[in-house]
Amino acid sequence: MNRRLFFNRLLIGVGAASIVKEKAYANKKKNNSVVKNPISICTWDFKEANFQAGMALETGKDALSSAIIGANVEEENPKNSTVGYGGAPDREGTVTLDAAVMDYKGNCGSVLGVEKIINVSSLAKDVMEKTPHVILSGKGAQNFALNNGYKLNSLLTDDSKKKWMEWKKKSVYNPKTNVDNHDTIGILCLDKKGNIGGVCSTSGLAYKMEGRIGDSPIIGSGLYIDNNVGGAVATGMGEEIIKIVGSFLVVELMRNGKTPKQACEEAILRIYRKNKSPKFQVAFLALDKQGNSGSSCLQEGFSYYRYKNNINKNLKVKPIIN
Ligand code: ASP
């Protein structure tokens, strides 16, 4: 046998072995996955958003539609300064929104740096369903929204303008922890059919540089779902999450046998090991195919909501740094 033929046969052998492994994994998970009750989990203290997502699941809505119903609650909430309407602007005073969605088939859509459109998670779903693309940004995303019936709205509220003008006096950009500038909404839902869908929606870091995009709309960083395994969402310092492709990493760790909590912890530890004494916050939240949820965060202060069996509960997460 010549050298090339030998290597080709070797490669075919390796490929076939991993396909067999993948199929065995999927079958094993399928047999185990009896979902009696739908579940919704959501970053931070977005009680109402998670409840609405849970209610939608109870009525039989699919996972992604339910997650979007939840995300819309915070996108429309003027009091939330890190998502949608009322979100903090960039340093020039312009509010720009980012969002991503992913469904159980592995389809995804995202929008980056969108101005004057409130429901960017719905828009990301429209990108996924109505275009041949995955990502639309800026003006193009806004034009696509207008062509699909969305209305233009100013996203800057009197309150967020006041805070921005106050910030401008010193213009010191110093993102610390989650005290007042990290609160992205990430929702993962498991529907009655046992399928997972999710959303990540944000206005990004407060007073970010013009044009800055964080992890939230980047598939694999702010959000990732593999319906054979589970899903993950992220919040916190987007630059650090992007550097480890955080949500994808969490899902792959679960594929390799870690629980949702262990997988999130490992991802947080990777960030921790790269940063001597991090002053920022990062948190991951994960849900597996069997309905187990878990989370880990770098700093004190992160919690998440879990809706299950008509109970919408806030769960505090123990930080890696004490
Ligand atoms: N992860 C978001 C970003 O970096 C911020 C956040 O979670 O609040 O844009």
Side-chain angles (χ1 to χ4, degrees), residues 278-308:
K279 296 278 180 293
F280 52 83
Q281 174 69 299
V282 173
F284 290 103
L285 178 58
L287 180 67
D288 73 12
K289 188 74 178 156
Q290 287 70 43
N292 304 303
S293 63
S295 178
S296 182
C297 60
L298 207 46
Q299 316 267 358
E300 189 70 52
F302 180 69
S303 67
Y304 72 96
Y305 263 89
R306 184 179 67 204
Y307 173 91
K308 192 180 178 180

Side-chain angles (χ1 to χ4, degrees), residues 181-184 202 204-205 212 214-216 235-239 241:
N181 61 1
H182 298 289
D183 274 344
T184 293
T202 191
L205 297 181
R212 179 265 184 192
D215 61 301
S216 309
T235 179
M237 187 58 76
E239 284 71 8
I241 298 163

Side-chain angles (χ1 to χ4, degrees), residues 51 60 71 91-92 105 119 137 166 191 198 201 208 218 222 239 256 265 273 275 284 299 306 310 316:
F51 181 70
R91 54 181 62 181
E92 316 304 323
K105 290 183 181 160
N119 294 125
S137 72
E166 201 46 48
D191 63 29
S201 180
K208 60 195 176 187
I218 311 294
E239 284 71 8
N256 289 319
E265 268 166 11
R273 286 185 204 117
N275 292 276
F284 290 103
Q299 316 267 358
R306 184 179 67 204
N310 287 312
K316 271 193 93 157

Side-chain angles (χ1 to χ4, degrees), residues 11 20 27 33 35 54 80 106 111 127 132 135 137 151 184 208 220 262 270 301 303 321:
L11 283 178
V20 169
N27 285 337
S33 62
V35 177
N80 184 333
V111 290
V127 170
I135 304 172
S137 72
K151 299 273 173 288
T184 293
K208 60 195 176 187
Q262 289 167 344
R270 289 210 191 172
S303 67
I321 303 172

Side-chain angles (χ1 to χ4, degrees), residues 128-282:
M128 176 180 101
E129 289 174 346
K130 298 179 182 166
T131 79
H133 308 300
V134 168
I135 304 172
L136 289 182
S137 72
K139 201 79 193 136
Q142 195 190 65
N143 285 339
F144 171 72
L146 293 177
N147 290 334
N148 281 277
Y150 292 76
K151 299 273 173 288
L152 291 183
N153 282 288
S154 169
L155 300 176
L156 194 66
T157 57
D158 289 347
D159 193 42
S160 48
K161 187 172 176 185
K162 220 170 107 191
K163 285 183 182 147
W164 167 66
M165 288 177 77
E166 201 46 48
W167 172 84
K168 245 169 65 124
K169 288 182 188 159
K170 289 194 186 142
S171 298
V172 180
Y173 182 58
N174 183 21
K176 290 190 203 98
T177 60
N178 49 288
V179 184
D180 60 4
N181 61 1
H182 298 289
D183 274 344
T184 293
I185 184 162
I187 305 195
L188 295 165
C189 290
L190 180 68
D191 63 29
K192 286 186 170 173
K193 290 189 175 151
N195 291 323
I196 300 177
V199 171
C200 196
S201 180
T202 191
S203 53
L205 297 181
Y207 322 129
K208 60 195 176 187
M209 279 180 75
E210 187 181 25
R212 179 265 184 192
I213 302 292
D215 61 301
S216 309
I218 311 294
I219 303 296
S221 291
L223 167 73
Y224 192 71
I225 289 163
D226 180 326
N227 203 48
N228 282 328
V229 180
V233 285
T235 179
M237 187 58 76
E239 284 71 8
E240 297 302 321
I241 298 163
I242 291 172
K243 286 178 201 165
I244 62 156
V245 200
S247 292
F248 180 74
L249 173 64
V250 171
V251 172
E252 290 309 299
L253 289 166
M254 291 196 290
R255 189 195 305 281
N256 289 319
K258 292 215 187 290
T259 64
K261 185 173 171 41
Q262 289 167 344
C264 291
E265 268 166 11
E266 173 60 32
I268 290 289
L269 281 171
R270 289 210 191 172
I271 292 175
Y272 179 65
R273 286 185 204 117
K274 292 200 317 171
N275 292 276
K276 289 286 171 268
S277 44
K279 296 278 180 293
F280 52 83
Q281 174 69 299
V282 173

